[in-house]
């Protein structure tokens, strides 16, 4: 049977959290137990970064809009037509049930990208759109609102089709549709994802279908559950993640070719490299284009220090001294390998700290649960490797510690990652503190190069001198 509203991802995450709870039991450290092979110390860089997993993690942990002061760049297909932007949801003349849904979600006014994208998406006649902005800026909410606005609830067949790169991402977007359509009960949603089997010859009555390219293609062509000629809105979400998966690009294009010419095509992406742009142009004819630049990260509001040590144990002792001297609301500690992260988390927890550990082998939902607990303040220290922690914003984090300095796979300083790690402490107008552990000539050299790159002094800190440590927190 085709699944409807109640079939969200909640149970699934709940179940996964069950596994997570089993995993952590008895370890003393929140998170999965790290089973590192002693002989092979794998770096996170060696592991292929999974964009879909990162994107899902972002969605799971995001509870707010990402703040941005950057201006939206708009390229109109017809430059002579007036450019509309809205400052309130009322101006959009949404159906009352939808406006109710929007407010029930706690949205007071459109986000930066929504100010321009929504009037364009809701215009008559419908216009095509390619939109790019970083994760968390309100793209999903925007296209969900557009789909819900265009649907004719009386017509019991699919009218909106939304493609997501993975099963899990489709479920997440489905959840937003369900939430926003909460006061519109006649609207139904079907998930075209693996495992959702229908009987041959059956037709889908749900007005919105969300799914992955392979299954949607089967449903539109081979199995004919959907009549693509009746689709009015086609959304391609997370285009950058989509094209990273073999086959998805072709499948998406094949689906798009089956749609009527006047179908509204909308494409969203967090990044806009060449390959994404080429793909976007194939899928969206005559587009309007909206881009929102990323917020720049800065080291201006951050005090940076380094500590000289001889080995891992000394680094750990220095860390304990720092903890003994200053009050740290919450700290994030970055390690280069899973093995070090696991060791450090265990040592800190032995010292009586409440420690959370994020490790590469944990499933995305488990990671999200760990981050959530940390955000809620249940743990005060988060030990992590780099890949896991990208994009995490925790307001209370006042200190970032590089237990290992960030290096790329060739062993050179990874300045971007440094900025990314440290840049998060000084956000929200607060001053941040960053402490780098240096344990060899090589790492001193890395530190110097980072210092030169940013042209910002990193001061030496003597962690055996408690008075000196106390001063840094003033
Ligand atoms: N106008 C708004 N006002 C307040 N919150 C909003 C608004 N629009 C979206 N949000 C919330 O902000 C967060 C990010 O929004 P959304 O998921 O739509 O962004 P996105 O750009 O699609 O990011 P991602 O690709 O990571 O999902 C969500 O928690 C969403 O509920």
């Amino acid at each position: 049977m085709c699944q409807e509203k109640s079939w969200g991802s909640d149970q699934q995450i709940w179940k996964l959290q069950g596994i997570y709870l089993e995993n952590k039991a008895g370890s003393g450290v929140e998170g999965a137990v790290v089973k590192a092979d002693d002989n092979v110390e794998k770096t996170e860089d060696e592991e292929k970064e999974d964009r879909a997993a990162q994107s899902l993690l972002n969605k799971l942990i995001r509870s707010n809009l990402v703040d941005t002061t950057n201006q939206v760049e708009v390229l109109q297909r017809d430059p002579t037509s007036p450019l509309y932007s809205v400052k309130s949801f009322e101006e959009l003349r949404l159906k009352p049930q939808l406006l109710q849904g929007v407010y029930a979600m706690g949205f007071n006014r459109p986000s930066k990208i929504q100010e321009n994208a929504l009037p364009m998406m809701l215009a008559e006649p419908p216009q095509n759109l390619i939109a790019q902005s970083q994760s968390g800026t309100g793209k999903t909410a925007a296209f969900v609102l557009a789909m819900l606005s265009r649907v004719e609830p009386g017509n019991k067949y699919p009218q909106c089709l939304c493609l997501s790169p993975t099963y899990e991402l489709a479920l997440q977007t489905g959840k937003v549709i369900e939430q926003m359509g909460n006061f519109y009960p006649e609207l139904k949603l079907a998930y075209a994802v693996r495992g959702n089997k229908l009987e041959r010859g059956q037709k889908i009555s749900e007005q919105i279908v969300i799914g992955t390219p392979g299954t949607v293609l089967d449903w539109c062509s081979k199995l004919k559950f959907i009549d693509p000629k009746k689709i009015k809105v086609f959304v391609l979400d997370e285009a950058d993640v989509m094209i990273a998966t073999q086959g998805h690009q072709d499948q998406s294009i094949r689906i798009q070719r089956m749609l009527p010419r006047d179908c509204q095509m909308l494409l969203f992406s967090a990044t806009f490299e060449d390959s994404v742009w080429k793909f976007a142009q194939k899928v969206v004819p005559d587009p309007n284009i909206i881009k929102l630049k990323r917020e720049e990260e800065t080291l201006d509001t951050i005090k940076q220090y380094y500590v000289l040590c001889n080995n891992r144990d000394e680094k750990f002792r220095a860390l304990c001294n720092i903890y003994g001297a200053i009050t740290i609301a919450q700290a994030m500690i970055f390690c280069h390998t899973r093995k070090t992260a696991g060791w450090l988390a265990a040592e800190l927890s032995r010292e009586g700290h409440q420690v959370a550990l994020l490790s590469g082998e944990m499933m995305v939902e488990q990671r999200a649960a760990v981050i959530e607990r940390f955000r809620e303040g249940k743990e005060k220290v988060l030990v992590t490797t780099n890949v896991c922690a990208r994009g995490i914003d925790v307001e209370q984090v006042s200190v970032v510690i590089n237990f290992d300095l960030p290096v790329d796979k060739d062993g050179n300083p990874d300045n971007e990652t440094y900025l990314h790690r440290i840049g998060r402490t000084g956000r929200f107008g607060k001053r941040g503190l960053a402490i780098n552990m240096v344990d060899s000539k090589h790492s001193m050299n890395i530190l110097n190069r980072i210092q030169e790159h940013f042209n910002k002094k990193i001061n030496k800190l003597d962690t055996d001198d408690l008075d000196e440590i106390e001063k840094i927190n003033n």
Side-chain angles (χ1 to χ4, degrees), residues 55 58-59 62-66 89 105-111 114 133-142 238:
S55 183
N58 272 328
K59 278 186 200 287
R62 175 105 48 224
S63 49
N64 284 314
L65 276 171
V66 166
F89 285 110
M105 286 177 85
F107 300 179
N108 297 323
R109 55 189 171 77
S111 71
Q114 290 165 1
S133 66
Q134 79 187 80
S135 161
T137 45
K139 300 185 293 296
T140 308
E238 311 236 16

Side-chain angles (χ1 to χ4, degrees), residues 1 60 128 163 199 224 230 248 259 277 385 400 417 447:
M1 261 310 286
L60 292 178
N128 292 347
L163 296 187
E199 282 174 29
K224 301 208 177 346
K230 291 186 172 158
H248 274 175
L259 305 173
W277 178 232
T385 49
V400 168
T417 299
L447 188 92

Side-chain angles (χ1 to χ4, degrees), residues 47 51 87 167 181 187 300 354 378 405 415 435 456:
E47 293 159 13
R51 294 182 86 149
K87 292 283 177 207
Y167 173 90
L187 274 193
D300 288 348
Q354 298 153 282
K378 294 200 170 103
L405 294 172
N415 296 315
I435 300 175
K456 285 256 175 314

Side-chain angles (χ1 to χ4, degrees), residues 344-379:
L344 183 60
E347 289 296 310
L348 281 168
S349 120
R350 207 167 294 144
E351 289 284 316
H353 292 282
Q354 298 153 282
V355 187
L357 171 63
L358 270 185
S359 176
E361 82 229 312
M362 292 163 75
M363 290 178 66
V364 174
E365 287 81 358
Q366 292 177 291
R367 293 185 206 176
V370 171
I371 295 167
E372 206 46 54
R373 287 177 57 87
F374 181 64
R375 269 202 178 145
E376 288 166 6
K378 294 200 170 103
E379 279 87 37

